[in-house]
Amino acid sequence: MTRGAHPTAPAATAGEDIDPGVRDGDGPQVSEDRMTATLPVRLSPGSVYAIGLNDSFYPGYKDLYGRPVIPLGICFKTAW
């Protein structure tokens, strides 16, 4: 991931009911070696969420050579 990447830009669009939402005051973080990104989010029990990295409109995550990473979508449900 390059330092010029924009990890705060939305990478995929989804309805508000499945967006996990970023915790107040916590933004995305990129590790010192630029290989790991973390995003602290708010989750509720028994809820379904979706989040994505990159798409054709928001290619902000890039590899060490500046190429956009392959788009990835993740959908999950929290336990009760």
Side-chain angles (χ1 to χ4, degrees), residues 16-77:
E16 288 183 28
D17 56 332
I18 61 174
D19 180 357
V22 177
R23 289 191 318 218
D24 293 336
D26 290 331
Q29 300 292 319
V30 178
S31 64
E32 191 172 316
D33 66 2
R34 299 183 300 182
M35 299 299 290
T36 304
T38 57
L39 180 63
V41 296
R42 292 183 310 269
L43 302 177
S44 297
S47 298
V48 174
Y49 297 98
I51 191 166
L53 296 178
N54 284 11
D55 66 18
S56 58
F57 297 104
Y58 301 103
Y61 288 95
K62 299 178 181 178
D63 67 15
L64 295 175
Y65 300 102
R67 300 173 299 204
V69 298
I70 295 170
L72 171 68
I74 301 167
C75 185
F76 62 95
K77 182 177 181 180

